[in-house]
Amino acid sequence: MKQITKETYLNWYENMTFWRKFEDKLAAVYIQQKVRGFLHLYNGQEAVLAGSLHAMEIGKDRMITAYRNHVQPIGMGVDPKRIMAELFGKATGTSQGLGGSMHIFSKEHKFHGGHGIVGGQIPLGAGMAYGDKYFNRDNVTLCFMGDGAVRQGSLHETLNLATLWKLPVVFVVENNGYAMGTSVARTASHKFSGNWDWVMKCPVDR
Ligand SMILES: Cc1ncc(C[n+]2csc(CCOP(=O)(O)OP(=O)(O)O)c2C)c(N)n1
Ligand SMILES: [Mg+2]
């Protein structure tokens, strides 16, 4: 198990601050209509990524996530300029400017997107882990999803096979309380841990 030292905390703080500034800049240029299409930011969820990256072996382990995907590849080693270029639709972007906000990829850095279909990345994550196991590669895949994706059927099929075949995949649910405007409390019968009283009180949800 990796130690968490003062340097680790400082490193997390530095990275998280950079990711926040990156997203805030995108929000600013989005309003100026320099970035087209959808724009989903990662603000407020940075600590999940910082901790996850710490547990990973960068350069070896894989990551796949949903559409809130601008800063994860930065953490995996992709040049932030290439991600910004992708958002601006430039040929120098990570997907030659053709993917945009929701589709950042870097196979070289083992960052496998960037998926707009809610829950679409879940079976893909397990599939990559299956490939690694099949070819005796010692990699682990981290597969992120939002709380909204937990209600997708693909998760339940995937969890069954991932457990049956003992795949080297870790599923991470980033529960930010909402799937678009709909609160977890209104759409899931199971209880998530944590205090979600504020979800019920949020006026947006009424
Ligand atoms: C299969 C599918 N159904 C519906 C949508 C529309 N949609 C886009 S975002 C979203 C909510 C997802 O919420 P969550 O997984 O919690 O992610 P968050 O935005 O909170 O990170 C929905 C339903 C979609 N993209 N894909
Ligand atoms: Mg959510």
Side-chain angles (χ1 to χ4, degrees), residues 33-109:
Q33 297 192 338
K34 288 181 180 161
V35 170
R36 312 307 288 255
F38 286 103
L39 190 82
H40 305 94
L41 306 180
Y42 200 63
N43 287 6
Q45 299 182 203
E46 296 95 340
V48 181
L49 179 62
S52 302
L53 289 168
H54 182 73
M56 293 172 75
E57 229 176 287
I58 304 302
K60 189 171 163 213
D61 295 334
R62 301 176 190 281
M63 189 182 284
I64 186 166
T65 188
Y67 46 80
R68 222 174 269 291
N69 74 138
H70 308 145
V71 298
Q72 292 88 339
I74 298 176
M76 298 282 286
V78 179
D79 183 352
K81 288 190 183 127
R82 290 191 59 215
I83 296 159
M84 196 56 94
E86 184 60 36
L87 270 291
F88 275 77
K90 294 185 184 239
T92 48
T94 42
S95 297
Q96 289 77 52
L98 300 172
S101 166
M102 294 196 279
H103 307 110
I104 311 291
F105 283 81
S106 179
K107 194 179 165 193
E108 180 198 345
H109 295 87

